Amino acid sequence: MTGNSHSTFYITTPIYYVNAEPHIGHAYSTIVADVIARFYRLAGFETFFLTGTDEHGNKVVEAAERSGETVKAYVDRISRAFKETWPKLNITNDYFVRTTDRNHKDTVSKILSEVYAKGDIYFSDYEGKYCVGCERFYTDTELVQGMCPILMSEPRLN
């Protein structure tokens, strides 16, 4: 495999939820992505390696409440912990994105507006049994004795 000036390679880690401090699983995924990015750079590819944090969702709000912090203070603290961890492991990412960054919000808004304009998005009400831990709705037939089949916790009605 040999790269040239027209060969590009893009790699990203999962964009980590900030509902907990970085741990070995986050490090593992990021180290694997870093190894792949380094390989492609050495092979001559123009390489872009992204990692970052997802600062939205029920799990994040619940974690902030448990910590006694505002959501903003909490996500700032945990996101900073992620961002500061990677240099300590010699990770060579090119960009660290936060889903609360203005440029991220603007890009997502633009894409969603274009998709909506094409008629591929519609708005409607939806109610169901939602498991916060799994971040998904379950039907009654998927539940096990009324419990989430993965976490065995009672989903809430949303």
Side-chain angles (χ1 to χ4, degrees):
M1 178 183 316
T2 310
N4 60 46
S5 62
H6 301 290
S7 299
T8 57
F9 182 75
Y10 174 81
I11 188 166
T12 182
T13 66
I15 305 305
Y16 303 114
Y17 279 116
V18 292
N19 60 313
E21 299 274 343
H23 57 67
I24 193 72
H26 300 118
Y28 174 78
S29 297
T30 308
I31 291 166
V32 168
D34 185 61
V35 168
I36 295 168
R38 289 171 189 252
F39 172 81
Y40 275 89
R41 287 186 195 115
L42 287 171
F45 285 73
E46 181 182 338
T47 302
F48 189 84
F49 172 19
L50 176 121
T51 190
T53 52
D54 183 343
E55 302 170 20
H56 299 94
N58 291 336
K59 283 200 264 189
V60 173
V61 172
E62 289 178 358
E65 288 170 353
R66 281 193 306 275
S67 76
E69 297 170 88
T70 65
V71 173
K72 170 107 172 75
Y74 177 81
V75 299
D76 285 348
R77 179 174 61 81
I78 301 296
S79 186
R80 185 173 42 256
F82 274 91
K83 190 172 185 176
E84 291 173 354
T85 296
W86 305 144
K88 294 173 185 174
L89 298 174
N90 282 332
I91 301 297
T92 63
N93 61 291
D94 297 293
Y95 190 71
F96 185 93
V97 66
R98 292 180 63 177
T99 57
T100 56
D101 288 344
R102 172 57 39 207
N103 63 340
H104 181 269
K105 288 179 178 182
D106 291 347
T107 300
V108 170
S109 179
K110 180 179 183 288
I111 291 167
L112 290 177
S113 293
E114 290 173 10
V115 172
Y116 179 74
K118 291 179 182 177
D120 294 329
I121 295 177
Y122 65 90
F123 293 94
S124 180
D125 291 327
Y126 184 85
E127 285 187 8
K129 294 177 180 170
Y130 183 77
C131 175
V132 173
C134 292
E135 297 183 319
R136 70 162 284 199
F137 286 92
Y138 285 100
T139 65
D140 286 335
T141 57
E142 293 174 304
L143 297 174
V144 176
Q145 296 177 341
M147 306 294 264
C148 163
I150 305 298
L151 300 178
M152 295 310 293
S153 59
E154 186 174 352
R156 64 184 183 200
L157 186 59
N158 275 11

